[in-house]
Amino acid sequence: MDDEELVEAARDVQSEAYVPYSNYRVGAAIETADGEVYVGCNLENANYSNSLHAEEVAVAEALKDGHRDFEVVAVSSGKRDAVTPCGMCRQTLAEFCDEDFRVLCDAGEDGVREHRLGDLLPETIGPETLGK
């Protein structure tokens, strides 16, 4: 899937978001190393700490199907404001992706902003940090 199609998949899944508190819809689409695409949207809870973020939902969907290697993720909000994954989602991505992993952020009419995971989350916590 090309980058534009991946961003479109992230946009499309926003319609499934459950956001009664923030009204801020986010969608994510992650492509596996073998070309499969999984999507996720944010799912809020009155206790905000129990909310699920779009990126972690997409990753979880892929993981439950046995995928562990990923190529790229696209993130889009209803505002098309080039939102980047939050710190928690960056750490989730870092569990499975290296520092060169591409993160595409939907900026609407201004296009797509591309980042590398290592730039968004330098000095990540990994197995080596835990002495493994």
Side-chain angles (χ1 to χ4, degrees):
M1 182 174 281
D2 70 26
D3 290 355
E4 288 181 23
E5 292 172 317
L6 199 65
V7 170
E8 191 61 38
R11 286 178 178 172
D12 289 347
V13 75
Q14 289 175 35
S15 64
E16 298 176 29
Y18 177 73
V19 292
Y21 308 105
S22 72
N23 292 312
Y24 187 77
R25 294 178 180 278
V26 178
I30 192 164
E31 185 173 353
T32 66
D34 62 358
E36 289 193 51
V37 174
Y38 290 84
V39 296
C41 57
N42 55 330
L43 307 166
E44 294 180 348
N45 186 290
N47 171 358
Y48 282 115
S49 65
N50 289 0
S51 295
L52 300 174
H53 298 189
E55 302 91 331
E56 66 183 343
V57 172
V59 169
E61 288 292 321
L63 292 174
K64 78 176 189 188
D65 281 350
H67 297 281
R68 301 292 184 271
D69 297 312
F70 302 98
E71 293 296 317
V72 59
V73 68
V75 183
S76 177
S77 78
K79 293 186 177 189
R80 309 290 190 265
D81 55 2
V83 65
T84 62
C86 73
M88 182 176 68
C89 290
R90 293 174 191 191
Q91 184 62 51
T92 297
L93 291 167
E95 182 72 16
F96 303 99
C97 308
D98 66 21
E99 63 185 16
D100 290 326
F101 180 74
R102 295 184 326 130
V103 179
L104 307 176
C105 302
D106 183 4
E109 291 181 10
D110 292 332
V112 174
R113 295 187 189 154
E114 182 173 322
H115 303 279
R116 300 294 174 177
L117 184 58
D119 294 330
L120 294 174
L121 186 66
E123 301 182 38
T124 184
I125 298 169
E128 63 284 348
T129 309
L130 303 175
K132 301 249 177 195

